[in-house]
Amino acid sequence: MDLLFDPLFRLPFVAGLMAAIVVAITGLYLRLRAEWLAALGFAHLAGAGGVVGVIIGAPPLAAALGASVIAVLVKGALQRSGNDVYAWLILFGWAAMLIGATFTHHAKILGDALVDGQLYFAASAELWATLSIAAATAIALPLLSRSLLRSELFPGHDRTNGRPLWPVTVGFDLLAAVAIAVAALVMGVMAAFALVFIPAWIAFALAGSWRLAVLWSGLIAAALYTVSYVTALLADLPFAPVLVAIAAAAAPLRLLSKRLGPRPAS
């Protein structure tokens, strides 16, 4: 555990930990909305944006965030919900990311990092990005949460009472897109997806209330991330495959739901 406090590894550890907790909690809301595939869609598109940014000489993080914001605006213009929109984002993003990575050496390095999840190369820009999105999530999500839950549990309630729902859905989509984009650049595309999908999948079964589900998601993500970070560091392995493997191995935790009570209503 001393490695976590080494100056060389402390910065990437904190950056990844913040990203892991944020995307796990965001994933809980995506699962509630049956849009968990958004994690892969936004992550692939962010990866493509980062690669294109390298090619044109723009900062990869800014380009990735820009691509994610464009995706949210397109989704809002289409007025579509569900996973089919995100399936198209995955296809376009994956193709653009891999094709773009062939153009320059630096683009290839970024493309490989997005696949392997080379978290140890995270710098101060990534740290500040994760801290910023964590702060934004802590402020915005409690304000959006009630409306998001109401829209799923009582469809049409806000519309019937004259309250437009689109500012809430677009606001959450933007928050999710930015969080997933940052996580994808920091720890890799599949690692970001695993942290969006698996902690929420387990928490949905374990928790008996929504607040407990949020707590469970954050704690599970933090635990999976820390174990994976230390394991990959000690074994000299790429971070993303180690995290995905350990997260998948934690799936039996969902079986504890029979003892701990029912999942939150959805």
Side-chain angles (χ1 to χ4, degrees):
M1 292 298 291
D2 291 341
L3 288 172
L4 298 183
F5 301 101
D6 187 291
L8 182 62
F9 301 108
R10 186 169 54 223
L11 187 151
F13 173 75
V14 175
L17 180 62
M18 291 295 100
I21 294 173
V22 168
V23 296
I25 294 174
T26 302
L28 195 67
Y29 287 85
L30 290 171
R31 186 166 189 84
L32 176 70
R33 299 172 65 190
E35 291 186 343
W36 50 266
L37 201 57
L40 269 181
F42 286 137
H44 276 85
L45 206 65
V51 169
V52 172
V54 171
I55 294 173
I56 65 176
L61 182 58
L65 294 178
S68 298
V69 170
I70 291 173
V72 171
L73 296 178
V74 170
K75 178 178 179 288
L78 293 175
Q79 296 184 346
R80 295 287 299 274
S81 60
N83 279 324
D84 56 342
V85 175
Y86 299 114
W88 286 107
L89 293 183
I90 293 170
L91 295 175
F92 283 117
W94 179 80
M97 182 173 67
L98 294 187
I99 292 173
T102 65
F103 278 81
T104 70
H105 177 67
H106 292 297
K108 186 180 187 305
I109 291 175
L110 178 58
D112 291 342
L114 287 166
V115 174
D116 295 339
Q118 295 297 344
L119 176 63
Y120 315 116
F121 297 120
S124 57
E126 285 76 20
L127 175 61
W128 284 111
T130 57
L131 292 175
S132 297
I133 191 60
T137 301
I139 295 171
L141 204 51
L143 301 176
L144 300 173
S145 180
R146 186 180 296 273
S147 295
L148 290 170
L149 292 173
R150 190 166 54 233
S151 69
E152 295 300 323
L153 301 178
F154 305 103
H157 180 275
D158 286 323
R159 190 176 296 108
T160 301
N161 288 276
R163 289 193 293 263
L165 187 60
W166 68 265
V168 175
T169 57
V170 172
F172 174 75
D173 286 342
L174 284 171
L175 187 67
V178 171
I180 294 169
V182 171
L185 286 185
V186 169
M187 65 181 70
V189 169
M190 291 306 297
F193 173 64
L195 287 169
V196 170
F197 178 71
I198 294 178
W201 182 75
I202 296 173
F204 235 71
L206 294 183
S209 69
W210 186 256
R211 289 183 179 179
L212 283 178
V214 172
L215 179 61
W216 270 112
S217 292
L219 291 177
I220 292 170
L224 292 176
Y225 170 83
T226 302
V227 172
S228 301
Y229 188 93
V230 173
T231 301
L233 194 60
L234 293 177
D236 193 24
L237 294 171
F239 172 77
V242 172
L243 184 142
V244 172
I246 290 176
L253 287 174
R254 186 179 168 93
L255 300 177
L256 294 174
S257 61
K258 295 180 180 179
R259 297 182 179 180
L260 298 180
R263 72 174 188 177
S266 63

